[in-house]
């Protein structure tokens, strides 16, 4: 056995398991999700560079979503090999933007680190 849980699909899988409540928005580098989710639920985004591929519309959809929130859970599963310090820096930038938009927001962060077990 490789030790890899075949049912784990990262943050997109978490979004699926949560269903429609609570409200969620997926920001992911994988553009295949564009086929499955409307722009109000998915934005093509790179956390390593804090970049929305839809440069004008992406941030607008995210801001509109966030303005309705008082509690936010940020669930991250950066790709294997992504530099943790870069992700941490961009995560801090994102959190600061959240606090500017909704000063009373309560933010929880769940960061999953990719790993593989070898036998």
């Amino acid at each position: 056995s490789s030790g890899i849980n075949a049912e784990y699909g990262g943050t997109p899988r978490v979004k699926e398991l949560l269903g429609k409540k609570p409200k969620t928005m997926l920001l992911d580098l994988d553009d295949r999700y564009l086929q499955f989710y409307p722009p109000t639920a998915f934005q093509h985004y790179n956390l390593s560079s804090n970049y929305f591929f839809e440069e004008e519309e992406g941030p607008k959809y995210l801001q509109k979503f966030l303005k309705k929130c008082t509690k936010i859970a940020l669930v991250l599963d950066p790709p294997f090999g992504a530099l943790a310090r870069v992700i941490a820096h961009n995560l801090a930038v994102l959190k600061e933007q959240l606090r500017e938009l909704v000063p009373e927001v309560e933010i929880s962060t769940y960061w999953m680190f990719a790993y593989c077990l070898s036998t």
Side-chain angles (χ1 to χ4, degrees), residues 2-104:
S2 67
I4 298 172
N5 182 348
E7 291 195 25
Y8 175 75
T11 306
R13 180 75 174 134
V14 171
K15 178 176 177 45
E16 288 176 26
L17 291 171
L18 288 172
K20 296 189 185 275
K21 293 209 177 192
K23 296 282 186 189
T24 61
M25 176 176 266
L26 176 63
L27 305 178
D28 202 288
L29 188 58
D30 190 342
D31 66 348
R32 292 177 293 178
Y33 295 107
L34 290 166
Q35 326 172 45
F36 305 110
Y37 296 112
T40 55
F42 171 77
Q43 284 298 312
H44 191 199
Y45 175 76
N46 184 345
L47 183 59
S48 294
S49 60
N50 196 21
Y51 178 76
F52 284 90
F53 288 88
E54 291 292 330
E55 293 179 53
E56 290 184 28
E57 295 301 313
K60 288 179 186 176
Y61 278 109
L62 179 61
Q63 288 177 357
K64 186 175 179 181
F65 174 83
L66 295 172
K67 284 182 181 178
K68 301 174 195 171
C69 300
T70 56
K71 292 182 180 181
I72 296 173
L74 298 172
V75 181
L76 297 92
D77 71 330
F80 182 77
L83 295 175
R85 71 175 178 268
V86 173
I87 299 296
H89 169 77
N90 288 329
L91 181 59
V93 169
L94 185 60
K95 285 181 174 182
E96 184 58 36
Q97 291 170 343
L98 289 171
R99 287 190 179 98
E100 288 174 8
L101 197 60
V102 185
E104 67 280 358

